[in-house]
Amino acid sequence: MELHNQASDTTPMTDPTTASAPPPPPFGRTLCAMITPFTATGALDLDGAQELADHLVTRGCDGLVLSGTTGESPTTTDAEKSALVAAVRQAVGSRAAVVAGVGTPDTRHTAELAREAEQAGADGLLVVAPYYSRPPQDAVEEHFRTVADATGLPVMVYDIPARTGVRIEPDTLLRLAGHPRIVAVKDCSYDFLAAQKVLARTGLAYYAGCDEHNLALYAVGGAGCVSTVANVAPAHIRAVLDAFNAGETTRAARLQQRATPLIEAMMAGGLPGTVTAKALLTAQSLPAGPVRPPLRPAGPETTESLTAAYAHLSA
């Protein structure tokens, strides 16, 4: 039997250091999962939304995700969602991508919201897995394809099984990657291996949807983050990714570690990120307002601990 002689093999080897640069992320790198400001009486505060959007973009966010989990989408009306997109679009112009959350458990309703978001000026759509009914994977796939076919906008698929009750399995994502308008994933699956497997086999842009994973996912080829913490610390969240891009990996790690107490206080303290973000924004005299029921505002002790964590980051 003839042995293979590696030295005489003329097949060129791929050098990862000379590979072409990846395409730019479709919606920017530092995206904020923006809260939806309300007035003191609980009405939609469009002036406040414009002020907050401008503040976030000025301080480093190159994308805003509206009407997601943090944006209290379950308690805002279709008309409010469209008005919010239009107002934020007007406020930020072309300085940042505006991604509209349109996810519902009803495929037909989701497609309707997608068309309304397109008309209101959105640059892209955030579409969560259809929740509560727990459909099988072929139905999950068909849901996303139907919504993606409803408009000309690019789609970010949102995988957050802890809230929806249904996982978007890696094989389903591999198939969805073939759709021309399904271009990105917001990953809250807490399955880091699965994320890397899909990254390795598709051109999908992977965004960390959990702030503790921002740097880790970015370091293995992710596109950036969709950050709740960016509502209150946009410049710091961006600085982590900027440091990594500059080759300052140790500094990037230290910046991520420095944010850990605030990430823990906001995202792992037993309250939704919406509640904690609004408490801190209010403390900073930025537009936020109350949360809508069934959510409740943070109490004095929680607000005090949040403020202390933010002060530590800012020191």
Side-chain angles (χ1 to χ4, degrees), residues 244-281:
F244 188 87
N245 279 356
E248 300 173 1
T249 56
T250 299
R251 180 169 178 269
R254 288 175 177 166
L255 287 169
Q256 178 71 32
Q257 291 162 8
R258 186 170 181 82
T260 298
L262 180 61
I263 293 170
E264 183 176 19
M266 289 184 65
M267 308 305 294
L271 291 175
T274 304
V275 174
T276 56
K278 283 196 166 184
L280 276 171
L281 286 168

Side-chain angles (χ1 to χ4, degrees), residues 43-300:
L44 181 63
D45 181 3
L46 292 178
D47 290 341
Q50 290 187 317
E51 180 185 343
L52 180 61
D54 179 72
H55 168 86
L56 294 171
V57 172
T58 299
R59 283 155 181 78
C61 293
D62 51 6
L64 301 174
V65 177
L66 310 178
S67 298
T69 306
T70 307
E72 297 180 75
S73 59
T75 55
T76 56
T77 67
D78 293 2
E80 287 175 328
K81 289 178 174 66
S82 292
L84 182 65
V85 170
V88 170
R89 171 86 288 157
Q90 183 182 48
V92 304
S94 60
R95 293 180 294 152
V98 176
V99 180
V102 298
T104 80
D106 175 0
T107 303
R108 181 173 59 181
H109 186 196
T110 304
E112 290 172 355
L113 285 176
R115 287 187 284 268
E116 291 171 8
E118 183 176 37
Q119 292 170 3
D123 296 303
L125 305 172
L126 176 73
V127 185
V128 74
Y131 45 87
Y132 188 76
S133 55
R134 302 183 68 180
Q137 287 298 298
D138 59 343
V140 171
E141 180 180 348
E142 185 61 26
H143 173 85
F144 285 114
R145 291 185 180 277
T146 299
V147 177
D149 288 339
T151 79
L153 295 179
V155 171
M156 180 189 294
V157 170
Y158 185 8
D159 188 17
I160 183 165
R163 287 183 179 268
T164 63
V166 60
R167 175 79 189 275
I168 309 172
E169 296 291 345
D171 285 347
T172 302
L173 288 169
L174 293 177
R175 293 190 297 270
L176 287 172
H179 193 289
R181 282 185 295 282
I182 297 176
V183 301
V185 177
K186 179 184 176 184
D187 181 40
C188 291
S189 68
Y190 284 94
D191 189 340
F192 202 64
L193 177 59
Q196 292 178 77
K197 288 167 63 176
V198 177
L199 266 171
R201 295 176 59 185
T202 74
L204 290 172
Y206 252 76
Y207 289 89
C210 307
D211 276 280
E212 61 269 37
H213 289 174
N214 289 351
L215 178 58
L217 189 58
Y218 197 60
V220 296
C225 60
V226 179
S227 168
T228 294
V229 176
N231 278 283
V232 300
H236 190 94
I237 297 300
R238 175 166 181 151
V240 174
L241 305 186
D242 283 348
F244 188 87
N245 279 356
E248 300 173 1
T249 56
T250 299
R251 180 169 178 269
R254 288 175 177 166
L255 287 169
Q256 178 71 32
Q257 291 162 8
R258 186 170 181 82
T260 298
L262 180 61
I263 293 170
E264 183 176 19
M266 289 184 65
M267 308 305 294
L271 291 175
T274 304
V275 174
T276 56
K278 283 196 166 184
L280 276 171
L281 286 168
T282 299
Q284 296 176 24
S285 298
L286 286 166
V291 292
R292 283 183 174 173
L295 295 180
R296 295 179 176 178

